[in-house]
Amino acid sequence: MESLKLKNNYEIKILGLDKIISVYNLCVACSDYYILSDGVKPTNEDAKEIFAELPPDKNYEDKFVFGVFNNKEMLVGIVDIVRNFPEDGEWMIGLMILEPKERGSGLGKETHNAIAQWSKQLGAKTLRIGVIEENYNGIKFWTKLGYEEIKQTDMEFKSKKHIIKVMRFNI
């Protein structure tokens, strides 16, 4: 994928490790998410994990990390997605964050829809995401997009334990 064009000259492009400083800066701008999930502000390691973390039995050919760039080529969002996990045809969104000043503008929905269509072209039938139960805005966002809760599970993130709502979207 070269890039996906969005409204207002936003663009989605594959991210590489050469953008790690921009990724870290975006993580810091999204500290509210990291404090909610981990109990602490993000570190350089959190930025690296976006590129490195894989689910069991998956490899880096199955993982895609996208950046959402504004018309000034500044990174304002990230989407991390793994194909065919936990099963063939279902793709898992590991992380989707947007800079706080970009939230509520429709950019999240537009980004999701572009990624959903792209993944559908590559064989995805459903998308899955795990949302922390306390992330009320996240649950509202994903539900508005059409995601439905399919189960709950317990997970531990750094110093915090959470109930995760696993949600699925039919493309």
Side-chain angles (χ1 to χ4, degrees):
M1 178 190 81
E2 186 69 26
S3 71
L4 299 170
K5 304 283 185 192
L6 304 176
K7 293 178 191 165
N8 299 325
N9 295 321
Y10 285 84
E11 196 171 359
I12 300 172
K13 301 185 237 180
I14 291 282
L15 274 181
L17 282 171
D18 60 320
K19 298 286 187 191
I20 193 71
I21 293 170
S22 295
V23 170
Y24 171 72
N25 290 335
L26 181 61
C27 291
V28 169
C30 296
S31 286
D32 60 331
Y33 170 78
Y34 285 91
I35 290 167
L36 177 69
S37 66
D38 298 341
V40 295
K41 291 185 178 184
T43 65
N44 283 329
E45 288 306 308
D46 292 308
K48 290 176 188 171
E49 279 180 17
I50 292 170
F51 293 97
E53 200 168 89
L54 284 172
D57 301 322
K58 297 310 287 178
N59 58 50
Y60 291 111
E61 288 80 39
D62 296 318
K63 182 177 178 87
F64 304 91
V65 179
F66 295 102
V68 181
F69 293 87
N70 67 14
N71 59 0
K72 296 177 180 134
E73 287 294 310
M74 295 191 61
L75 182 68
V76 297
I78 293 173
V79 180
D80 158 28
I81 189 167
V82 176
R83 79 171 132 207
N84 297 321
F85 183 82
E87 58 193 47
D88 283 352
E90 185 157 78
W91 291 34
M92 178 75 159
I93 298 173
L95 178 70
M96 181 171 158
I97 56 174
L98 285 179
E99 191 174 283
K101 66 183 176 187
E102 299 287 348
R103 297 175 191 164
S105 67
L107 180 60
K109 178 180 180 179
E110 193 177 352
T111 298
H112 170 269
N113 291 345
I115 294 294
Q117 288 308 307
W118 170 82
S119 60
K120 183 178 182 177
Q121 292 172 353
L122 295 176
K125 293 178 179 32
T126 59
L127 297 177
R128 173 187 280 228
I129 188 157
V131 184
I132 296 167
E133 185 177 53
E134 298 91 349
N135 186 352
Y136 306 114
N137 289 335
I139 291 168
K140 183 179 171 186
F141 172 78
W142 295 107
T143 301
K144 270 183 143 178
L145 288 175
Y147 281 74
E148 295 179 355
E149 184 179 334
I150 57 169
K151 70 177 185 175
Q152 292 186 5
T153 188
D154 296 326
M155 288 185 76
E156 193 167 335
F157 295 81
K158 293 192 180 173
S159 65
K160 290 181 90 175
K161 291 182 181 181
H162 296 282
I163 295 172
I164 304 296
K165 293 180 177 281
V166 179
M167 304 177 82
R168 181 181 289 148
F169 176 77
N170 293 318
I171 301 175

